[in-house]
Amino acid sequence: MTAAKEKIRELEDKAKKIRRSIIEMLAKAGSGHPGGSLSSADLVTALYSSVLRYNPKDPAWPERDRFHMSKGHCCPLWYAVLAESGYFPRERLFTLRQLGSLLQGHPDRRTPGVEVASGSLGQGLSVGLGMSLAAKVDNKNYRVYVLLGDGEIQEGNVWEAAMACAHFKRDNICAILDYNGFQIDGKTCHIMDLEPLVDKWKAFGWHTIEIDGHNMQRILDAYAEAESVKAKPSIIIAHTIKGKGVSFMENVCDFHGRAPTKEEAEKALKELE
């Protein structure tokens, strides 16, 4: 096996481990959001494993790249990745949503590695723009990555931020869209159709990259392409599957915000072995 293929295999194995952690912590908590956490697991695993510059021993390292999870309800994924990246012991994952825990139901700045609290949808790209502009003011070369949900981008604030990112030529920001086609009430195409989505982002002045969000090689290539773009922001529109990796959760709206039961968790973990 070549070194490149070995790297992809390692990332795929790590993403599977992350998915197992998501199932375990949600089952222990008895609440939370598995669907979108599982669908974007490959995207965030690759980002932290091969792209993002960070130092878990010094979370406030000035030269670090910034990541913001705008769809904050999918924080079980983020917490699992942060634990895997060395920000805190994995055992902490099983305090999810407990009173006084560092791992709340939506991201909180008390959690090591979390830059900004999130939960109210539609605000994250504006937050990312602020970070991006701060890098320019401070003469820093860090990059900013923002994970968006597809239901989330039905909100107007996202498009105001998109317009501003292009206006200010923020080539150090990369949006990542988890395009799994579902939101809490059903399919996005039934609630507020997003298409033609690629054309919309291009019209707003963004470099647009469309990929299979579960293909690790394409994910890595997309991050590299985004970093090479100059004088405009980039967005990776990643086609994903809600609940990816667990057959009975895939494309099932009920698992947008319902934690698996003990029996469901056991079945899911067997599929993720």
Side-chain angles (χ1 to χ4, degrees), residues 19 35 38-40 42 214 240-246 249-251 272:
R19 287 186 167 97
L38 294 169
S39 67
S40 48
D42 298 308
H214 301 305
T240 61
I241 297 171
K242 193 89 164 184
K244 173 67 175 177
V246 180
M249 290 186 179
E250 290 187 355
N251 294 326
L272 291 166

Side-chain angles (χ1 to χ4, degrees), residues 166-188:
H167 174 78
F168 292 110
K169 297 180 172 56
R170 293 292 76 222
D171 55 14
N172 64 340
I173 190 168
C174 176
I176 310 156
L177 179 64
D178 180 25
Y179 197 2
N180 60 45
F182 285 84
Q183 57 196 99
I184 191 169
D185 293 325
K187 290 186 175 182
T188 54

Side-chain angles (χ1 to χ4, degrees), residues 38-49:
L38 294 169
S39 67
S40 48
D42 298 308
L43 299 165
V44 181
T45 298
L47 184 67
Y48 271 82
S49 299

Side-chain angles (χ1 to χ4, degrees), residues 19 21 28 34 54 81 86 90 123 127 135 150 163 178 182 200 206 214 224 239 245 268 273:
R19 287 186 167 97
S21 294
K28 175 70 165 57
Y54 61 90
V81 171
R90 187 175 184 275
Q123 300 178 2
V127 170
D150 49 2
M163 186 164 52
D178 180 25
F182 285 84
K200 287 174 183 173
W206 285 62
H214 301 305
H239 293 272
E273 288 179 348

Side-chain angles (χ1 to χ4, degrees), residues 25-26 29 31-33 69 72-79 88 92-93 95-112 114 117-118:
M25 61 200 292
L26 287 173
S31 64
H33 298 75
M69 181 172 280
H73 55 282
C74 294
C75 59
L77 162 62
W78 199 4
Y79 298 155
F88 48 81
R92 283 279 185 91
L93 296 179
T95 68
L96 175 70
R97 290 182 169 238
Q98 292 180 11
L99 185 65
S101 171
L102 288 178
L103 308 182
Q104 290 300 302
H106 286 78
D108 186 293
R109 285 191 65 198
R110 292 176 298 169
T111 304
V114 172
S118 64

